[in-house]
Amino acid sequence: MTSDTAAQPRDIEEAIFSAVDSCVAQWGWDKVTMDDICVTAGVSRATVYRLFPGGRDVLFEAVRLSKLEDFFTAMRAHVEGSESLEELLVRCIVVASSELQHDEHLAMMLATVPGETLGDLTVSGVGRIVRVATAFITPLTDEFIPAADAAHIVDVMCRLVISYYLSPSPVLDFSNEDATRTFVRTFLLPSTSSVVVTH
């Protein structure tokens, strides 16, 4: 086991998160123990509980939130600077869909622990996803629409992208910019009463 004291807290946290990924991929969320995580990360139980008071549930929630924040941080870098609401929505959907399609870790999790992973994307996790997405995306919509409209449209976008990822449509490709633009103009923009579409 490595020394906990020599490493920076952020480095230790990343090692713990990586250990959770490894353990969950091997045994599934329900069977992983704190001892498994500590051994894999090379840290003591005291270190894990100091960083994540409350133990396993608190740690797993932190892992889920960290993954979402990383995802939306990367996505936001691709959509910042959009000059219209239409452009912003199209970029969000295309980038998110493409990232999900190429996420090897997520694909592996769906293959090895499908029940827990599907739960994180749907029933138990969609609220978390929408909250994080709203925090990252709605500040970019301020110049185009009111916050209430933005929250509504982000919620809809999240559910659409997740649904498309889990069950791709034979008639709509959200990773294709032209197809997504047509969809946004037809179905998303009309739902925001104060939007003026720019081209």
Side-chain angles (χ1 to χ4, degrees):
M1 184 174 293
T2 60
S3 172
D4 300 349
T5 56
Q8 296 296 318
R10 182 61 186 168
D11 294 334
I12 297 173
E13 182 178 283
E14 289 176 357
I16 293 169
F17 285 179
S18 178
V20 171
D21 281 347
S22 178
C23 292
V24 168
Q26 188 169 355
W27 298 301
W29 291 102
D30 292 340
K31 295 181 181 179
V32 174
T33 68
M34 292 295 276
D35 286 337
D36 294 329
I37 294 166
C38 292
V39 169
T40 304
V43 299
S44 67
R45 286 177 63 91
T47 296
V48 176
Y49 279 96
R50 185 175 69 250
L51 290 173
F52 305 99
R56 187 178 181 278
D57 291 343
V58 172
L59 170 57
F60 279 13
E61 180 64 13
V63 170
R64 291 178 172 108
L65 285 174
S66 176
K67 288 186 178 301
L68 283 175
E69 289 170 356
D70 289 346
F71 180 88
F72 285 109
T73 296
M75 190 187 84
R76 182 169 172 160
H78 289 283
V79 304
E80 285 180 318
S82 298
E83 296 183 356
S84 68
L85 181 62
E86 177 184 298
E87 182 182 0
L88 175 63
L89 299 182
V90 170
R91 286 187 185 182
C92 283
I93 292 172
V94 170
V95 171
S97 298
S98 298
E99 289 295 317
L100 286 174
Q101 288 176 15
H102 295 95
D103 189 327
E104 294 180 358
H105 176 76
L106 181 56
M108 181 267 294
M109 294 295 288
L110 280 168
T112 57
V113 282
E116 295 94 330
T117 308
L118 283 171
D120 277 343
L121 289 171
T122 55
V123 180
S124 62
V126 71
R128 181 190 305 111
I129 294 169
V130 170
R131 284 194 302 274
V132 177
T134 300
F136 275 82
I137 297 172
T138 53
L140 303 178
T141 67
D142 285 345
E143 64 181 298
F144 306 122
I145 52 176
D149 284 349
H152 171 75
I153 210 164
V154 168
D155 183 290
V156 171
M157 275 199 309
C158 288
R159 296 173 194 276
L160 284 170
V161 170
I162 292 168
S163 177
Y164 173 81
Y165 169 70
L166 294 174
S167 183
S169 168
V171 297
L172 176 63
D173 182 2
F174 275 159
S175 64
N176 179 279
E177 187 171 324
D178 290 336
T180 302
R181 188 176 306 282
T182 299
F183 179 88
V184 166
R185 287 179 178 177
T186 305
F187 298 106
L188 290 185
L189 289 180
S191 70
T192 55
S193 57
S194 56
V195 171
V196 176
V197 181
T198 58
H199 301 277

